[in-house]
Amino acid sequence: MARPPRQRPGPWVPLLLLLLAGPGTCAASPADDGAGPGGRGPRGRARGDAGADEAVPRHDSSYGTFAGEFYDLRYLSEEGYPFPTAPPVDPFAKIKVDDCGKTKGCFRYGKPGCNAETCDYFLSYRMIGADVEFELSADTDGWVAVGFSSDKKMGGDDVMACVHDDNGRVRIQHFYNVGQWAKEIQRNPARDEEGVFENNRVTCRFKRPVNVPRDETIVDLHLSWYYLFAWGPAIQGSITRHDIDSPPTSERVVSIYKYEDIFMPSAAYQTFSSPFCLLLIVALTFYLLMGTP
């Protein structure tokens, strides 16, 4: 009886045997350390030859090592920081009062002759293209604001405020006066904002468009409005009641197309400048000089 032909193993059998045998059965390559004759490594270095090791440093040619060395050389500074130092921020440009009444309109409240750094409150405005640039400054560590109102009373007013927060930043915020309460509005028309807190003063500069889409909380500045001036303390970056009970307002509506330099004396100087007080002082002086009969 003829014997059946012997079947040859499939091509997967040697691979399976190799995997079962493990890596220890694989012969070392002549390029590996100790694989050459006499136990010599690459370039004929004797194993354990310290001098040869120093003369020919090892270098891992893997892609990961190459990428790491390239990153170290290209992106790390000598101090080890991964990114270059950011350029210095431009300092806040001081407000110029010499331009008041010429190229911009200004309101000053405080001591006669005061400027943007010494007035209790200061505001300027000027047209720049389709925007109006405002500059505000006040003697406070909290906030300074201007409101645009159809009358001289608080309520239903569009308000822009510069608020000094606990992190030392001055942020431009938009509010709407609901009665005596200022409600923050998320839609903020301000842009190109900058502000600083120095010498116990909050000072800021920003722009907002002249024309805006119809909105109850944002007025069109091409129309004339009464300006409400206010400033006061802030708690954790939130505004609180203004410093004085009756904040100053513009005597008449303000047009952004007309530049004036208007001074308003603070309460301390209004007392001695009113006609009644001046007449009273003259009468008392005359009485003291002439004496009683």
Side-chain angles (χ1 to χ4, degrees):
M1 182 175 180
R3 299 175 63 181
R6 184 179 181 182
Q7 295 183 356
R8 301 179 61 181
W12 54 270
V13 174
L15 178 60
L16 178 60
L17 294 176
L18 181 62
L19 293 175
L20 292 175
T25 60
C26 298
S29 170
D32 297 336
D33 288 346
R40 303 187 67 83
R43 297 191 181 95
R45 288 190 292 110
R47 199 181 314 168
D49 189 350
D53 289 338
E54 294 179 0
V56 185
R58 290 179 56 84
H59 177 75
D60 189 347
S61 60
S62 67
Y63 175 78
T65 301
F66 168 76
E69 292 177 353
F70 178 80
Y71 178 84
D72 291 343
L73 294 175
R74 176 64 180 85
Y75 293 102
L76 292 184
S77 63
E78 294 180 358
E79 294 80 6
Y81 297 110
F83 299 104
T85 304
V89 179
D90 293 335
F92 186 89
K94 290 187 177 182
I95 299 176
K96 298 180 180 180
V97 297
D98 295 338
D99 299 333
C100 291
K102 302 174 184 177
T103 59
K104 63 182 179 182
C106 298
F107 286 91
R108 315 183 200 202
Y109 176 86
K111 180 180 179 180
C114 65
N115 56 36
E117 299 178 1
T118 58
C119 287
D120 294 349
Y121 179 97
F122 178 91
L123 175 139
S124 75
Y125 62 91
R126 64 169 177 163
M127 290 285 299
I128 300 181
D131 296 331
V132 184
E133 181 185 74
F134 290 96
E135 297 173 315
L136 284 76
S137 182
D139 183 15
T140 180
D141 62 355
W143 57 273
V144 55
V146 57
F148 310 103
S149 176
S150 58
D151 52 27
K152 294 184 178 182
K153 299 178 181 180
M154 184 176 177
D157 315 309
D158 177 4
V159 178
M160 301 299 300
C162 306
V163 185
H164 176 224
D165 63 21
D166 291 344
N167 296 322
R169 300 171 301 181
V170 174
R171 297 174 291 108
I172 316 304
Q173 296 179 267
H174 180 219
F175 293 89
Y176 182 77
N177 284 341
V178 180
Q180 300 295 312
W181 176 58
K183 176 184 178 182
E184 184 175 2
I185 306 299
Q186 295 303 319
R187 184 186 175 193
N188 191 343
R191 55 189 177 208
D192 296 341
E193 310 166 14
E194 53 181 329
V196 66
F197 176 69
E198 289 181 346
N199 301 322
N200 201 46
R201 293 189 69 89
V202 175
T203 306
C204 65
R205 181 183 293 115
F206 62 89
K207 298 175 184 175
R208 61 175 273 173
V210 176
N211 298 297
V212 294
R214 186 185 180 98
D215 190 309
E216 180 185 3
T217 63
I218 304 177
V219 302
D220 275 338
L221 293 178
H222 75 277
L223 301 175
S224 297
W225 304 91
Y226 289 100
Y227 281 17
L228 312 180
F229 313 117
W231 63 99
I235 299 177
Q236 296 181 349
S238 299
I239 66 174
T240 59
R241 181 175 172 79
H242 37 70
D243 277 344
I244 54 181
D245 293 334
S246 299
T249 64
S250 61
E251 289 295 326
R252 56 183 181 274
V253 293
V254 179
S255 170
I256 59 172
Y257 304 105
K258 184 178 181 181
Y259 297 154
E260 297 180 276
D261 187 9
I262 299 177
F263 170 75
M264 299 172 290
S266 60
Y269 300 94
Q270 291 174 3
T271 302
F272 297 100
S273 61
S274 65
F276 175 77
C277 289
L278 291 176
L279 181 61
L280 181 61
I281 291 174
V282 171
L284 289 174
T285 303
F286 179 79
Y287 177 79
L288 292 174
L289 290 177
M290 298 300 297
T292 57

